Amino acid sequence: MKILIRNIRSLLQTQQEGVDKVCGADMSVLPAIDNAYLFIDGGLVKGMGRMEDFAGSGFTKYAGHSDVHEIDAAGKIVMPAFCDAHTHIVYAGSREIEYIDKIRGLSYEEIAKRGGGILNSARKLQNTSEAELTEQAISRLEEIQSLGTGAVEIKSGYGLTTGSEMKMLRTIRKLKELSPLTIKATFLGAHAVPDEYKHRQQAYVQLIIDEMIPRVAGEGLADYVDVFCDRGFFTAEETGRILEAAAKYGLQPKIHANELDFSGGIQTGVKHNALSVDHLEFTGEEEIKALLGSQTMPTLLPGAAFFLEMDYPPARKMIDGGLPVALASDYNPGSSPSGNMQLILSLACIKMKMMPEEVIHAATLNGAYAMGVEKELGSISTGKKANLIITTPVPSYAFLPYAYGSNKVEKMIINGRPC
Ligand code: NIG
Ligand code: FE
């Protein structure tokens, strides 16, 4: 299918080939073409430029052609679809009861201690069939797609037995077939210690290492491995052992780190060549130093900090110190029951003082990097996949995070097809 988009108010994130992430001060510069055209063919971006140069371009021959779908984007922005590099979209039911407890004053950890939290979702998931899980997840995927997401990473971690973790990962494999979105799967057996292993955490870690990882890897069900490395969950030492075992099967880490404390998770992630370390509410000078010498993407999840009323990660310190930053939704039933990346952008601006240019980089190219798809997605570059947002008419790109709460996505193009 061929698509020609004309009169685009501003075509955002038009990166040169080969730029795989944006760091530090570079995040405040957003490459863009105003009054632009864009040509898409066979699912890929084939060319772009300024409208005044269109007549002299090789693309004029497609204008008015019967097999070219033409879109007039006057007044609208076209940009890469969001790459949401951290979600838990496969889950059973919901946990609004805990939400009520939270309003009454209980903390995330107190709720978890009472059998709520991740273990509550694990119980629900164990009694839910793969078909039902798939159906629930598909409707969440359709929702986030309508809000601008074009690629998403999905974790297991509500199974917590070998069978149920495999069930979650098979569900994600099914979603890869059914959904037009680009999806990556992450094995998160070390999300919490299940009831059966209460007071026997070491035995559960051993089960992950000896049984879960070999079976998951044996069936090729996961792209990455994750551990919830935090106070009350898994220690840095346990995390290191799990990551070492996963590395033998070629599974690169993307870990939950420093959400609840200075857990050592960031340093452990960096040491094990993590693709990303995520959350990072507890990040100081030491952690920033460790990240600066690495290829690991710090990935911030302001939806979780908002929902749990925690202090936000120090995004300004990170960016001003030269680090790249990615933003993701953490869409899950306990700490962030929303996959709305537009809302994440607004939260990042207001609560972490990131600038509109920075949040757009963080949710597109840096998000793509954090899920290992930066070669094919995350920017408008010739040869990359055409996963794009066409916005409603907006005065400028700063309007996107500014007008929080309304959907500014008018149309999505996924794999070069309007939807
Ligand atoms: O990313 N931090 C750990 N895991 C999830 C929460 C999962 C849950 O409460 O169900 C998170 O916030
Ligand atoms: Fe998470």
Side-chain angles (χ1 to χ4, degrees):
M1 180 178 196
K2 296 179 173 53
I3 303 178
L4 176 61
I5 312 178
R6 293 207 266 184
N7 303 321
I8 304 166
R9 169 175 290 233
S10 194
L11 181 63
L12 302 185
Q13 189 65 304
T14 49
Q15 287 284 356
Q16 298 297 323
E17 246 174 84
V19 178
D20 61 356
K21 62 176 186 278
V22 187
C23 307
D26 290 345
M27 288 186 74
S28 62
V29 184
L30 186 61
I33 306 173
D34 290 338
N35 193 24
Y37 69 87
L38 178 68
F39 185 68
I40 296 162
D41 191 8
L44 304 177
V45 170
K46 292 290 179 173
M48 70 201 81
R50 294 175 63 83
M51 275 313 291
E52 47 265 49
D53 301 330
F54 181 68
S57 78
F59 300 107
T60 37
K61 60 176 181 282
Y62 296 112
H65 206 280
S66 61
D67 40 279
V68 178
H69 179 72
E70 288 197 41
I71 299 173
D72 184 350
K76 301 169 187 175
I77 281 174
V78 175
M79 61 183 281
F82 300 123
C83 297
D84 188 350
H86 181 136
T87 82
H88 308 249
I89 268 176
V90 173
Y91 60 86
S94 54
R95 297 193 343 233
E96 62 275 26
I97 303 288
E98 295 174 17
Y99 173 68
I100 306 287
D101 285 341
K102 221 169 285 166
I103 296 169
R104 292 208 168 103
L106 288 191
S107 72
Y108 184 60
E109 285 164 296
E110 284 164 338
I111 291 169
K113 280 212 180 89
R114 291 182 358 161
I118 295 163
L119 296 188
N120 187 1
S121 282
R123 277 188 292 274
K124 288 186 206 287
L125 187 127
Q126 286 177 3
N127 298 319
T128 307
S129 71
E130 210 171 301
E132 173 61 22
L133 279 177
T134 306
E135 201 175 301
Q136 290 187 23
I138 279 285
S139 73
R140 293 178 196 124
L141 287 177
E142 285 169 355
E143 186 204 6
I144 62 169
Q145 183 182 323
S146 72
L147 292 165
T149 296
V152 61
E153 180 258 16
I154 311 175
K155 299 171 192 299
S156 69
Y158 292 124
L160 308 182
T161 63
T162 306
S164 291
E165 283 295 309
M166 307 268 292
K167 176 166 79 173
M168 285 192 80
L169 290 165
R170 279 196 302 268
T171 303
I172 303 173
R173 185 170 64 190
K174 188 88 192 154
L175 297 174
K176 288 184 180 184
E177 278 166 41
L178 296 175
S179 169
L181 300 186
T182 297
I183 295 175
K184 291 287 179 186
T186 299
F187 166 63
L188 175 56
H191 198 192
V193 177
D195 281 334
E196 311 81 82
Y197 283 86
K198 212 170 175 187
H199 309 304
R200 292 194 299 134
Q201 178 142 339
Q202 286 313 310
Y204 185 60
V205 170
Q206 219 47 52
L207 178 78
I208 293 172
I209 292 172
D210 294 341
E211 187 175 292
M212 292 190 188
I213 290 175
R215 293 213 28 210
V216 164
E219 287 196 30
L221 285 171
D223 301 299
Y224 302 109
V225 63
D226 192 348
V227 175
F228 189 3
C229 181
D230 230 317
R231 191 184 66 209
F233 290 85
F234 295 87
T235 65
E237 186 272 329
E238 290 162 346
T239 304
R241 280 198 286 134
I242 293 169
L243 300 187
E244 239 163 62
K248 293 195 183 117
Y249 293 90
L251 293 174
Q252 198 181 358
K254 273 176 64 60
I255 68 169
H256 283 74
N258 297 45
E259 176 185 6
L260 308 171
D261 206 347
F262 290 96
S263 63
I266 294 177
Q267 289 88 336
T268 305
V270 165
K271 181 171 161 212
H272 291 270
N273 186 33
L275 182 56
S276 72
V277 286
D278 306 12
H279 274 292
L280 318 188
E281 282 77 358
F282 288 83
T283 301
E285 299 303 328
E286 286 291 298
E287 285 75 13
I288 291 179
K289 214 163 87 196
L291 284 163
L292 273 171
S294 80
Q295 295 301 313
T296 301
M297 178 63 71
T299 299
L300 312 184
L301 316 170
F306 168 72
F307 196 78
L308 301 179
E309 294 186 280
M310 296 186 311
D311 289 337
Y312 289 77
R316 272 272 51 94
K317 263 200 186 145
M318 293 177 177
I319 296 171
D320 295 344
L323 285 175
V325 156
L327 286 168
S329 74
D330 198 17
Y331 194 171
N332 77 74
S335 65
S336 189
S338 168
N340 185 343
M341 286 295 285
Q342 295 177 63
L343 187 57
I344 297 301
L345 265 52
S346 299
L347 285 173
C349 288
I350 294 292
K351 293 296 194 180
M352 302 198 293
K353 308 297 172 219
M354 287 174 68
M355 300 304 286
E357 297 80 9
E358 292 172 332
V359 296
I360 292 171
H361 280 300
T364 57
L365 189 53
N366 286 358
Y369 181 97
M371 59 184 286
V373 296
E374 75 283 1
K375 300 262 182 297
E376 52 181 295
L377 289 167
S379 66
I380 311 266
S381 312
T382 306
K384 275 197 176 180
K385 232 196 238 185
N387 278 17
L388 317 170
I389 294 170
I390 303 178
T391 69
T392 54
V394 290
S396 70
Y397 61 74
F399 188 88
L400 301 174
Y402 155 80
Y404 81 98
S406 62
N407 188 5
K408 279 83 58 184
V409 172
E410 186 172 277
K411 193 193 280 291
M412 293 293 289
I413 295 183
I414 302 285
N415 303 324
R417 297 189 165 271
C419 43

